[in-house]
Structure formats: C-alpha cells, structure tokens
Amino acid sequence: MIVRSNVNWRNKTILIVEDDWANYLYLKEVVSELGAKMLYARNGVEAVEFCKKEEEINMILMDIKMPEMNGYEATMQIKKIKPNLPIIAQSAYALQNEIYKYNDVFDGYITKPINIDTLKEELEKHFVI
C-alpha cells in the first residue's frame, strides 16, 4: 500500500481507540504507512487518560462501541479537556439516523469496513496542508 499526501504526517500523532484487534491492526497499518506517530487505547477510559497525559496528540480515531466506556462518552470527556482536538468516529453504525445522533460531538465519521481513501480524506480534512 502506497499512500501519497500533501500533509507532513511525520510530525502528527494519532490516537487509535479500538477494542477489536483486527480493526486496530488495519488502522495501525494505515497510520504507519502515512508516517504518523501512533498511540493505542483499547477503550474510552484509556483514551481519556491518554488525553490527560499526552500533549502531542493531533487527532483521535475513536470507535463508538467499546467496553468500559464507549466512544461517545469518551469523546464528550476528551472535548472538555481538549475542545479543539479533532476526533473522528469509526463505527459499524452506518444508517443515516445513527450517524446523525453522533454529529454533536465528533468532528468526522467513517463507517466500517473502513476504506483507506475515505480514511485518508477524513484525516486530511483536519490538518492544514
């Protein structure tokens, strides 16, 4: 997989929040191929903790359905800590009414299975080129 972009990904850090190992491995591959630094959290609780401690996070890819704390709840807490941090939901919830109910907190939304071009396009929307 070769990814071309106008964004300098080497100075970007993306937190991947995903409880499904296969989905995480796919996202890890894409983020690594872009050249961005990657952090990993298995659930919303870990994601909130990362955001309290790590200053360098530039974006979050947040699964919605997770154990301990779901992505919606985690995002609401993270937005209190870092209101300008872009958080993109990634979920199997693909119906328009399901997507709409999350618009109030997420900055973007990608449905699973995730298409690499769609993911890259969504990521680039949130970075100045």
Side-chain angles (χ1 to χ4, degrees):
M1 168 177 41
I2 296 175
V3 179
R4 291 184 171 39
S5 173
N6 293 323
V7 174
N8 180 4
W9 294 101
R10 286 184 179 79
N11 65 4
K12 305 291 186 225
T13 300
I14 298 172
L15 173 61
I16 297 173
V17 187
E18 174 62 67
D19 66 319
D20 181 274
W21 188 247
N23 288 336
Y24 160 70
L25 290 176
Y26 177 74
L27 292 169
K28 176 184 173 188
E29 176 76 21
V30 173
V31 170
S32 297
E33 189 70 30
L34 289 171
K37 180 180 174 188
M38 185 205 61
L39 300 172
Y40 172 57
R42 293 175 299 213
N43 58 55
V45 173
E46 290 181 10
V48 172
E49 289 305 311
F50 261 114
C51 289
K52 288 178 181 176
K53 296 175 186 175
E54 296 286 336
E55 290 296 320
E56 63 184 49
I57 297 172
N58 301 106
M59 179 174 293
I60 299 176
L61 289 173
M62 178 77 72
D63 187 19
I64 293 178
K65 186 178 178 188
M66 294 182 292
E68 295 187 50
M69 179 187 296
N70 69 42
Y72 183 79
E73 293 167 1
T75 298
M76 290 193 317
Q77 288 190 27
I78 291 167
K79 288 292 190 175
K80 290 177 185 174
I81 301 165
K82 298 182 178 202
N84 297 321
L85 180 63
I87 303 177
I88 299 171
Q90 37 111 7
S91 177
Y93 300 131
L95 297 177
Q96 206 55 39
N97 65 329
E98 293 168 328
I99 295 169
Y100 179 75
K101 78 179 182 180
Y102 296 113
N103 280 348
D104 65 326
V105 69
F106 292 107
D107 300 291
Y109 195 101
I110 302 170
T111 57
K112 294 178 183 176
I114 295 173
N115 174 285
I116 188 169
D117 293 328
T118 303
L119 174 59
K120 184 182 151 208
E121 181 180 303
E122 191 63 37
L123 292 172
E124 287 184 352
K125 279 186 202 177
H126 302 281
F127 291 125
V128 176
I129 297 176

